[in-house]
Amino acid sequence: MFSYIIKFGRANYKYPQSCLQINKILAVNYSLKNNIPDFENDKSELKIPREHKKCIMSVDSAVHDIPNGAKLLIGGLGLGGWPLNAIDAIIKKGCKDLTVISVTPGVGDIGLQKLLIQRQIKRLVTSFIGINPEFAKEYSKGNLELEFIPQGTLAESIRAGGAGIPVFFTSTGCGTMIQDGNVVIKYDKDGKPEILSKPKHVQQFDGKNYLMEPAITGDFAIIKAWKADKAGNLIFRKLARNFNSIMCKAAKVTIVETEEIVETGELDPDSIHVPGIYVDRIFKASNTDEFTKIIKTLSKLAVSPVSKKKERIIRRTALEFKDGRYINLGIGIPMLAAKYINNDTDAALQFDTGALNFHYSQETDRVDPDSMGHGVAPVTVLPGTSFFGCDESAAMIRGSIYFLC
């Protein structure tokens, strides 16, 4: 024990020579002894708090409480990154009147088509259905509500929803039907418009018009990952990140289907794409070999031969792929033109699925679901290739930082 004195006072500015006037003096006894353990010498194992461990369960248990009318965010794009076991479990459970947000419906049985056939989807919010005509048929018959949102806007809407941002502004869609509204979301049984989209609020910034877009959130996010640890940290592989990574953050409950589950601490912290705070339930994927066989078949069907006239246009487009350019490959002619690029051309291709600086593989028998985009040949990794999510891809395009094709 020892004693020291604390003095309370105030400065005397009228008589600086006195410096300080003492008002109170307190004597305090203080003990140097304490019960704080020496952290460096504490060799006990550090354990993750119980509440931070995620529920690891079967696929049926993971989706058991999805009710009728739920709003689902489902990851996947083209043939890659789909939580196929979870989708099958939702079909088995028989949930009805679902609102599904997904950037594309997939191709055939890889994606949402089985949910559609079972009439479990009431409304699909998407960007593109061109490679799945079943959705167009059901929409035209009045059996499906279909709401189109541009892919970059959809990505940002979901990202904003996960970040707690209620609205944002974008120039995408200005001066189009998106701004004006009255786009048919649903037809009645007689083929007449029943539900129409509403006009968008327009606001001007720096002399340019922008549309106000609302954030998107969901009741459940159904996600496909490559690896997960028991704390819920996730790693995706190649193009399979697509919309999966942002959807994790925008739902009340996030359900993750993963190819591998490891112990907490086995994943490199620098390699984690989604922290475990966003994840609620995890289950291990099965039937991966069976799904890969289906993807191999569908990837061949998805690429149809083009006419000579169209091929001429595609080849001419490929001549615009010049050295030093960053080129976004949208669906259609730009994407097909990438196959005709000269090997000597030093142009970096960017794919909206989430890849930069790659080439398309000419090996039609090589199937890697995580390198498949919109059902075309898989991408070939080059020195300098990078993979990222669709939100990052959209930001590159929206920022107009490179030549768009």
Side-chain angles (χ1 to χ4, degrees):
M1 299 287 290
F2 74 96
S3 299
Y4 64 94
I5 296 175
I6 301 176
K7 299 180 180 180
F8 295 89
R10 59 185 176 84
N12 189 332
Y13 297 104
K14 187 174 181 180
Y15 304 102
Q17 66 276 13
S18 64
C19 294
L20 190 69
Q21 289 181 335
I22 304 301
N23 295 331
K24 297 179 182 179
I25 298 178
L26 298 178
V28 179
N29 290 328
Y30 178 74
S31 174
L32 289 175
K33 184 178 179 180
N34 60 68
N35 296 319
I36 301 174
D38 187 348
F39 180 78
E40 293 183 356
N41 296 327
D42 185 5
K43 302 299 183 181
S44 61
E45 182 182 358
L46 295 175
K47 297 182 179 180
I48 186 170
R50 180 179 299 177
E51 62 270 20
H52 293 174
K53 293 182 179 179
K54 305 304 172 179
C55 296
I56 300 173
M57 50 184 63
S58 68
V59 58
D60 291 330
S61 298
V63 303
H64 77 282
D65 56 348
I66 297 179
N68 294 337
K71 189 177 182 181
L72 308 182
L73 307 174
I74 300 183
L77 201 166
L79 292 172
W82 289 97
L84 298 173
N85 289 278
I87 291 172
D88 285 347
I90 293 170
I91 293 171
K92 179 181 176 182
K93 187 176 185 301
C95 309
K96 299 291 185 181
D97 298 326
L98 299 173
T99 295
V100 176
I101 295 93
S102 187
V103 64
T104 69
V107 183
D109 288 342
I110 303 301
L112 306 176
Q113 182 169 290
K114 289 189 286 186
L115 278 171
L116 178 72
I117 292 173
Q118 298 297 323
R119 299 288 176 87
Q120 291 176 258
I121 301 177
K122 178 181 179 182
R123 173 176 288 207
L124 175 65
V125 180
T126 188
S127 298
F128 177 74
I129 62 168
I131 53 179
N132 199 315
E134 292 300 319
F135 280 80
K137 291 178 183 177
E138 293 301 312
Y139 168 64
S140 61
K141 292 178 182 178
N143 297 327
L144 177 70
E145 297 175 14
L146 194 57
E147 181 179 351
F148 285 106
I149 299 178
Q151 182 171 322
T153 302
L154 181 62
E156 188 65 15
S157 297
I158 296 170
R159 192 203 67 80
I165 300 170
V167 297
F168 65 97
F169 289 88
T170 177
S171 61
T172 303
C174 282
T176 69
M177 296 173 65
I178 296 174
Q179 174 182 322
D180 299 335
N182 293 325
V183 178
V184 179
I185 293 176
K186 185 179 185 299
Y187 290 98
D188 62 19
K189 299 300 180 181
D190 297 325
K192 297 179 180 179
E194 183 177 337
I195 302 176
L196 300 174
S197 67
K198 297 179 180 180
K200 300 284 186 180
H201 172 72
V202 181
Q203 190 159 330
Q204 198 171 86
F205 298 93
D206 296 327
K208 186 177 180 179
N209 288 335
Y210 292 82
L211 303 184
M212 188 175 74
E213 295 285 352
I216 291 176
T217 58
D219 299 313
F220 294 84
I222 314 297
I223 303 303
K224 169 64 165 54
W226 178 43
K227 287 184 179 181
D229 66 15
K230 293 182 178 180
N233 298 308
L234 305 180
I235 294 178
F236 302 94
R237 182 172 175 270
K238 296 184 178 179
L239 297 175
R241 196 180 317 183
N242 50 64
F243 272 69
N244 280 299
S245 56
I246 53 173
M247 286 181 170
C248 283
K249 308 167 187 178
K252 298 174 184 175
V253 177
T254 295
I255 302 171
V256 177
E257 172 178 330
T258 181
E259 296 180 28
E260 185 178 353
I261 301 175
V262 301
E263 293 296 328
T264 300
E266 289 188 26
L267 299 181
D268 178 5
D270 278 334
S271 299
I272 291 170
H273 297 136
V274 173
I277 191 172
Y278 296 110
V279 175
D280 299 289
R281 305 170 190 172
I282 306 170
F283 70 90
K284 193 174 186 303
S286 59
N287 303 323
T288 53
D289 292 338
E290 177 184 344
F291 289 135
T292 299
K293 291 178 182 178
I294 297 173
I295 290 172
K296 183 176 181 179
T297 302
L298 291 174
S299 64
K300 294 181 178 180
L301 296 176
V303 182
S304 58
V306 298
S307 65
K308 290 184 177 180
K309 184 176 181 180
K310 190 174 183 180
E311 183 179 358
R312 184 179 179 184
I313 298 172
I314 294 169
R315 288 183 177 276
R316 175 61 187 86
T317 302
L319 296 177
E320 298 297 323
F321 293 10
K322 302 184 185 301
D323 290 349
R325 283 180 169 172
Y326 290 95
I327 302 169
N328 169 253
L329 302 179
I331 293 177
I333 287 178
M335 190 166 60
L336 295 172
K339 295 184 178 181
Y340 295 94
I341 188 172
N342 294 327
N343 292 330
D344 296 334
T345 302
D346 184 20
L349 305 182
Q350 192 262 15
F351 199 13
D352 57 2
T353 313
L356 178 64
N357 194 24
F358 67 92
H359 280 171
Y360 281 122
S361 172
Q362 302 301 320
E363 302 175 26
T364 56
D365 290 332
R366 182 175 70 87
V367 172
D368 177 2
D370 291 341
S371 68
M372 308 294 287
H374 295 289
V376 299
V379 300
T380 297
V381 175
L382 303 174
T385 296
S386 59
F387 294 105
F388 36 85
C390 287
D391 56 326
E392 186 73 32
S393 177
M396 293 178 185
I397 300 169
R398 192 184 302 110
S400 301
I401 62 171
Y402 54 78
F403 174 80
L404 300 183
C405 186

